[in-house]
Amino acid sequence: MSELQVKELSRELVEAIEGLKDSDSLQESGVVTRVSDGVVWIYGLRGAGYSEVLEVATTEGGVARAFALNLNEDEIGAVLLDSETGVRAGAKVKLSGHVLDVPVGKELLGRVVDPLGRPIDGLGEIKTTQRGLIEKNAPGVMQRKHVHEPLATGLIAIDTMVPIGRGQRELIIGDRQTGKTAIAIDTMLNQHKQQTGVVNVYVAVGQKLSKVAALVERLKAEGVMDQTIVVATSPADPAALLYLAPYAGTAMGEYFRDNKQHALIIYDDLSKHAVAYRQMSLLLRRPPGREAYPGDVFYLHSRLLERSAKLSDDLGAGSLTALPIIETQAGDISAYIPTNVISITDGQIFMESDLFYQGIRPAVSVGLSVSRVGGDAQTKATKSVAGSLRVELAQFRELAAFSQFASDLDDETKQRIARGRLLTEILKQKQYSPLSVAEQVAMLVAAQKGAFDKVPQAKVGAAAHELTVRLAKDHTKVMTALNEGAKPAEDTIATVVEVAKKVAASYHQSEQ
């Protein structure tokens, strides 16, 4: 820009600023001093609040919306929600009088929207008058209740070893393409299959729209979309929309939590969210810190995830459960964003690349995965069979690695390795096939009581499936009792083992 242009620009700005003579005008009005990369800098607007919506006049006579993020002493830094085309230095800005909010309510169920609540599924306008604040304080300690109700994922490896409860925040972490989203989707499917009444909110942060469209089609095919809200953003969207997406989804989920219902929210994924915030922060001239992220990036995710809670009985006992997803680089969970989110959440499910490539799916790492709620989020039936499972698998993984170098093993070690391989096969599960509590318990009882010990390893999965089919067909009362969640009685266990042995015998004989 030439010196003459700078002088001309300065003169225009001085004239615009001169129009804001008194303090009242400065309180309610402002002038754009510069604009670039989706960020506008504004003189005036001394009455603006954090996250307040600002209305910027465009050269075409319209209005571009922005929201205030930097509240400096002499100017405001705001991020544009609309295109910056037509926004010029010297444009007038005024306060809207309200902070960012989005439409909420049951009317959004079955819809795909952007982070501002605008429909992008071509199904017409969403008719709701209710709004929810994008930024909102999390419930306080006295407004909460301890997490004690299971939120079953339908995945035997998770429900038994790293259980999730309603109101919990459980991180799903791992490298790309290791099945993180698959766990979240199966959890959504299971809410429909088990008729729990839990509402799903899926937030796609910077995901390919083709991937989101495929997900929506799958949810429709499974009949889950009717109890689901999808908030979608693509890599082509401005950083502002990627930043707002998780907060918008949380506001939509909070509506159900605050109305005595239960909701599940999936953030896919918060790594991209942090990158979008880093981009905005650098454009707003905030000083960079570790890995170029701003110093308040921890607060970015903590204020988001703290909003997930199990409310007290006085407030209706509703819940909002969060499954944030974080992508790691080469399994490095000690990087900045992974360590931040691990410290905020109530546990993590770590997806191990090596297990995934071995065909063990879901590829849940027994050693690095943990639930800080634990048995409180399990039924007594699940707890009765899951007690030793984690230890047995951990010992097996260690012994299996050791046995590769040992030529001679004692009988006890061989038995532990055989049992570990059997349990590993039982825990394998195909996507889109969540299991009920009864099915999970029956399969583990059969494995732990030795009924499947002689079944060939390659046939264990098929035998376990046949066991659940036979029990559902011939022993309905047993399955109903297990589904109710009480600790299984001795005769129930005996029935399961008896049927399992018959199933195992047919597989064992067919192999001979």
Side-chain angles (χ1 to χ4, degrees):
M1 189 180 283
S2 68
E3 190 176 337
L4 179 64
Q5 286 175 311
V6 171
K7 286 181 179 177
E8 183 67 24
L9 182 61
S10 300
R11 184 177 61 78
E12 288 177 1
L13 283 176
V14 168
E15 287 177 1
I17 291 168
E18 282 294 315
L20 306 174
K21 289 287 185 186
D22 53 44
S23 59
D24 288 342
S25 295
L26 284 171
Q27 196 80 2
E28 299 293 333
S29 305
V31 172
V32 175
T33 57
R34 60 190 190 279
V35 55
S36 66
D37 298 314
V39 172
V40 288
W41 297 91
I42 302 161
Y43 171 81
L45 292 182
R46 290 175 182 167
Y50 179 78
S51 198
E52 183 168 358
V53 178
L54 313 176
E55 296 174 349
V56 185
T58 63
T59 53
E60 291 85 9
V63 172
R65 291 172 305 160
F67 64 101
L69 270 184
N70 270 25
L71 301 177
N72 300 333
E73 189 177 355
D74 53 346
E75 67 179 351
I76 285 175
V79 179
L80 284 165
L81 292 169
D82 302 313
S83 170
E84 67 180 65
T85 307
V87 178
R88 298 283 184 271
K92 291 184 178 178
V93 188
K94 63 179 182 178
L95 300 177
S96 67
H98 64 87
V99 293
L100 270 172
D101 58 14
V102 288
V104 298
K106 294 180 180 178
E107 293 81 1
L108 275 80
L109 292 174
R111 302 301 301 270
V112 184
V113 297
D114 72 359
L116 298 176
R118 299 173 297 201
I120 55 175
D121 52 8
L123 298 178
E125 186 185 350
I126 297 172
K127 296 175 182 177
T128 177
T129 55
Q130 300 175 89
R131 313 282 297 184
L133 293 178
I134 277 186
E135 292 279 2
K136 186 179 178 183
N137 287 340
V141 173
M142 299 307 293
Q143 296 172 297
R144 296 172 182 252
K145 188 178 181 181
H146 75 283
V147 175
H148 65 281
E149 300 167 316
L151 185 130
T153 64
L155 297 167
I156 188 169
I158 293 172
D159 290 343
T160 54
M161 294 190 293
V162 275
I164 300 169
R166 290 181 180 175
Q168 190 175 342
R169 298 145 311 168
E170 184 79 5
L171 171 64
I172 304 173
I173 185 168
D175 289 0
R176 67 188 304 272
Q177 299 296 320
T178 50
K180 301 186 297 298
T181 304
I183 284 180
I185 294 169
D186 280 348
T187 306
M188 292 163 66
L189 296 185
N190 196 50
Q191 306 316 306
H192 171 70
K193 184 178 178 182
Q194 308 304 330
Q195 298 181 339
T196 60
V198 174
V199 171
N200 306 307
V201 182
Y202 178 83
V203 181
V205 184
Q207 301 288 343
K208 289 183 197 173
L209 290 182
S210 58
K211 177 185 173 183
V212 176
L215 167 66
V216 170
E217 288 304 314
R218 184 74 202 205
L219 294 177
K220 284 180 179 175
E222 299 284 348
V224 188
M225 195 61 196
D226 291 340
Q227 63 187 74
T228 303
I229 302 169
V230 176
V231 181
T233 57
S234 75
D237 287 327
L241 289 185
L242 271 65
Y243 161 74
L244 291 174
Y247 294 99
T250 304
M252 294 169 189
E254 280 176 331
Y255 167 83
F256 298 97
R257 181 200 72 189
D258 297 340
N259 282 280
K260 304 181 182 180
Q261 291 177 264
H262 304 284
L264 165 70
I265 185 162
I266 292 143
Y267 305 107
D268 192 5
D269 63 83
L270 291 187
S271 304
K272 293 185 179 71
H273 184 233
V275 169
Y277 185 63
R278 174 171 64 184
Q279 180 184 332
M280 285 169 46
S281 297
L282 292 173
L283 290 171
L284 286 164
R285 304 289 188 270
R286 293 180 178 176
R290 179 179 164 188
E291 296 180 26
Y293 289 104
D296 65 339
V297 74
F298 179 88
Y299 180 55
L300 172 80
H301 289 148
S302 64
R303 74 175 190 263
L304 171 71
L305 292 167
E306 283 296 326
R307 290 162 72 177
S308 297
K310 168 67 179 172
L311 294 185
S312 66
D313 292 338
D314 293 340
L315 294 175
S319 70
L320 177 61
T321 309
L323 293 181
I325 295 174
I326 288 286
E327 187 178 294
T328 55
Q329 306 290 330
D332 182 16
I333 59 173
S334 64
Y336 190 28
I337 300 303
T339 50
N340 275 354
V341 183
I342 284 172
S343 65
I344 295 164
T345 50
D346 307 312
Q348 70 274 347
I349 299 167
F350 182 70
M351 309 301 289
E352 205 169 328
S353 301
D354 290 346
L355 294 178
F356 186 83
Y357 297 134
Q358 289 170 29
I360 300 171
R361 301 172 188 178
V364 178
S365 167
V366 181
L368 292 173
S369 301
V370 65
S371 171
R372 297 189 185 100
V373 173
D376 286 353
Q378 286 178 316
T379 63
K380 289 179 180 178
T382 305
K383 204 186 297 188
S384 68
V385 294
S388 60
L389 182 61
R390 193 186 184 94
V391 176
E392 285 183 43
L393 274 173
Q395 287 177 341
F396 159 66
R397 297 267 162 88
E398 195 174 329
L399 288 171
F402 169 74
S403 66
Q404 291 177 342
F405 306 101
S407 57
D408 191 25
L409 299 173
D410 61 89
D411 291 340
E412 187 183 349
T413 303
K414 286 179 182 176
Q415 190 178 351
R416 282 189 178 181
I417 289 174
R419 178 57 56 85
R421 284 182 177 144
L422 171 63
L423 291 173
T424 300
E425 290 299 317
I426 290 284
L427 296 182
K428 285 183 184 179
Q429 196 169 337
K430 292 180 181 178
Q431 195 178 355
Y432 309 125
S433 55
L435 300 170
S436 67
V437 171
E439 290 169 330
Q440 293 181 21
V441 172
M443 289 160 69
L444 283 176
V445 164
Q448 290 174 345
K449 296 294 183 182
F452 286 163
D453 283 356
K454 293 183 180 179
V455 176
Q457 188 176 331
K459 303 283 186 180
V460 169
H465 175 68
E466 189 175 330
L467 167 65
T468 59
V469 172
R470 285 200 194 182
L471 285 171
K473 184 181 177 183
D474 303 329
H475 301 276
T476 313
K477 289 182 179 178
V478 168
M479 296 300 270
T480 303
L482 289 175
N483 261 331
E484 287 172 356
K487 185 176 179 179
E490 289 298 324
D491 58 336
T492 301
I493 292 174
T495 303
V496 171
V497 173
E498 183 187 342
V499 176
K501 284 180 177 176
K502 289 178 182 175
V503 171
S506 65
Y507 278 90
H508 183 51
Q509 288 165 5
S510 65
E511 196 68 17
Q512 289 177 340

